[in-house]
Amino acid sequence: MKTIPFLFVAASLALAQPAHASKGNAEAGKAKSTACAACHGEDGVSKIPSFPKLAGQHRDYLYHALKDYQSGKRKNPIMSEQVKNLSDADLADLAAWFSSQKGLSVKY
Amino acid sequence: MKTITLTLCASVLMALSVPVQAAGDPKAGQLKTSMCAGCHGIPGWRTAYPSVYSVPKLGGQHADYIVAALKAYKNGERNHPSMVGIAGSLSDQDMEDLAAYYASSYSGPAN
């Protein structure tokens, strides 16, 4: 059942220009975010001060951070383990999901 | 005997006067944001080429996390060039104050 939307996303991505991160799908991201919720909170507002709140963060920043954890450009033993087996589509979907939640804001 | 007591008391008091990290003060933090606001305070602002992405939102973030991030930039664990330079210029107290400001709902002297 989950395979169909995933294949749709994968096909769309395959046909899209790979120049920049795809927008991702928030609903798909929500389904993939169970592991994330353990530390970052179900609503993206983490209860643990050393784990950042993700809710409402910029989508492309979240995607960029996840990619950096994967490549090792950003070093964090917990996060690199978490993203090890995620696909590009997964990262885009997760970023879309957390960015769609209410929380963080631009503060001057 | 009185001298010894006095010396002992003085020593204890001096030992206790080691500077303790004061918790961050949002009001003090707001006065230190001149290097931050230009990137983190402008809606839609993005980083410079070649790696272009949105500058992360800080409003409402955990203070502890902001301090940890600033320290990571200062000691080289994280390596964004602008942040390394900026964090390098901040004292521990600056970091605590800035983090407290961004984490809180306090938004400036008028409020």
Side-chain angles (χ1 to χ4, degrees), chain A residues 13 16-23 59-60 63 88, chain B residues 46 51-53:
Chain A
L13 285 173
Q17 285 300 325
H20 208 284
S22 100
K23 294 272 190 282
R59 185 195 49 76
D60 60 336
Y63 175 80
D88 223 54
Chain B
R46 284 180 291 170
S51 191
V52 181
Y53 52 93

Side-chain angles (χ1 to χ4, degrees), chain A residues 46 53 56-57 60 105 107, chain B residues 54 57 60-62 101 104 106:
Chain A
S46 91
K53 298 179 193 176
Q57 187 52 277
D60 60 336
S105 60
K107 183 168 182 176
Chain B
S54 297
K57 299 177 190 177
Q61 187 55 273
H62 284 304
Y101 171 70
S104 75
Y106 173 73

Side-chain angles (χ1 to χ4, degrees), chain A residues 2 4 21 33-34 44 56 58 75 81 94 97 104-105 107:
Chain A
K2 271 190 217 168
I4 297 166
S33 68
T34 339
H58 287 301
K75 292 171 185 42
E81 198 54 37
L94 287 169
W97 165 240
L104 299 170
S105 60
K107 183 168 182 176

Side-chain angles (χ1 to χ4, degrees), chain A residues 4-84:
Chain A
I4 297 166
F6 179 78
L7 282 175
F8 182 75
V9 172
S12 312
L13 285 173
L15 293 168
Q17 285 300 325
H20 208 284
S22 100
K23 294 272 190 282
N25 178 285
E27 275 308 302
K30 181 179 181 182
K32 298 173 187 179
S33 68
T34 339
C36 319
C39 294
H40 291 287
E42 266 195 28
D43 47 356
V45 179
S46 91
K47 303 284 183 294
I48 302 146
S50 51
F51 299 146
K53 298 179 193 176
L54 304 177
Q57 187 52 277
H58 287 301
R59 185 195 49 76
D60 60 336
Y61 173 77
L62 290 173
Y63 175 80
H64 186 91
L66 291 171
K67 292 287 283 184
D68 280 359
Y69 285 127
Q70 260 189 355
S71 69
K73 194 157 175 284
R74 197 163 151 176
K75 292 171 185 42
N76 184 297
I78 303 174
M79 280 311 297
S80 52
E81 198 54 37
Q82 289 298 321
V83 300
K84 212 169 50 169

Side-chain angles (χ1 to χ4, degrees), chain B residues 49-101:
Chain B
Y49 181 87
S51 191
V52 181
Y53 52 93
S54 297
V55 176
K57 299 177 190 177
L58 300 178
Q61 187 55 273
H62 284 304
D64 283 13
Y65 176 75
I66 295 176
V67 171
L70 289 170
K71 288 189 171 166
Y73 285 118
K74 189 170 186 177
N75 67 27
E77 278 170 31
R78 282 176 76 168
N79 55 23
H80 188 277
S82 317
M83 283 309 302
V84 167
I86 287 164
S89 73
L90 299 175
S91 70
D92 285 356
Q93 190 61 57
D94 292 336
M95 293 182 183
E96 295 284 343
D97 290 340
L98 283 165
Y101 171 70

